């Protein structure tokens, strides 16, 4: 099976076109060699690719007939990505939250609406008195 079809079938990418673009950018390797979208993959091949700031490492266990459900993906691949990579992604998410706390800086659209609503309540109270 072609690498682009395989990665689409085991649900790592939403479309085959996304896999093709990743191949063209040299983000996907099979057994240590940069893969073109038409590269054939076989059981026991080791695929390495970078997605969402994580270098994913998977081993092909079997070739699916077509795109499979999320619950059946583990039949066709073995995920060998180190847990440190996922921990690093979690750390990145936390650092982004720390960088700008919600409610600081320029008000969001929701913040502005809340401020306007609060101001209208005060203005309405003054008119009644």
């Amino acid at each position: 099976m072609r690498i682009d079809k395989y990665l689409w079938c085991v649900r790592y990418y939403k479309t085959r076109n996304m896999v093709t673009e990743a191949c063209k950018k040299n983000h996907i390797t099979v057994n240590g060699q940069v893969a073109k979208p038409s590269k054939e993959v076989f059981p026991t091949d080791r695929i390495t690719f970078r997605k969402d700031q994580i270098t994913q490492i998977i081993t092909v266990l079997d070739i699916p007939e077509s795109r499979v459900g999320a619950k059946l993906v583990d039949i066709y691949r073995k995920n060998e990505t180190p847990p440190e990579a996922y921990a690093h992604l979690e750390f990145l998410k936390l650092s982004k939250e720390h960088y700008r706390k919600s409610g600081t800086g320029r008000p969001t659209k929701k913040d502005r609406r809340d401020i306007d609503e609060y101001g209208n309540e005060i203005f309405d109270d003054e008119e009644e008195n």
Side-chain angles (χ1 to χ4, degrees):
M1 179 180 276
R2 293 168 51 115
I3 184 75
D4 61 345
K5 191 170 182 181
Y6 178 80
L7 288 174
W8 170 75
C9 284
V10 293
R11 298 184 166 267
Y12 276 102
Y13 288 90
K14 195 170 186 177
T15 63
R16 283 181 63 183
N17 192 33
M18 292 172 74
V19 184
T20 303
E21 291 299 317
C23 285
K24 288 179 181 176
K25 293 177 183 176
N26 296 335
H27 289 225
I28 300 175
T29 61
V30 177
N31 297 329
Q33 296 180 341
V34 176
K36 292 183 179 180
S38 60
K39 170 80 172 149
E40 292 288 322
V41 292
F42 302 99
T44 70
D45 281 352
R46 188 179 177 117
I47 302 172
T48 306
F49 58 97
R50 186 148 175 88
K51 185 171 184 252
D52 297 333
Q53 297 184 351
I54 295 179
T55 302
Q56 301 271 352
I57 303 167
I58 62 171
T59 302
V60 179
L61 296 179
D62 197 7
I63 304 297
E65 292 288 323
S66 63
R67 191 167 168 102
V68 296
K71 293 180 181 178
L72 302 175
V73 168
D74 290 332
I75 298 171
Y76 300 103
R77 58 103 173 131
K78 180 180 177 191
N79 190 355
E80 297 178 354
T81 307
E84 295 85 36
Y86 295 111
H88 179 68
L89 181 66
E90 198 64 35
F91 179 71
L92 283 174
K93 287 181 184 177
L94 291 174
S95 67
K96 287 180 183 177
E97 289 176 8
H98 178 72
Y99 176 70
R100 182 190 183 279
K101 301 248 185 231
S102 61
T104 60
R106 183 176 176 180
T108 63
K109 199 172 194 177
K110 183 183 183 317
D111 293 339
R112 196 202 73 218
R113 287 182 182 144
D114 290 342
I115 292 168
D116 288 346
E117 186 178 310
Y118 178 73
N120 290 339
E121 288 175 6
I122 292 174
F123 184 71
D124 290 341
D125 290 341
E126 288 177 1
E127 284 183 353
E128 290 175 2
N129 293 331

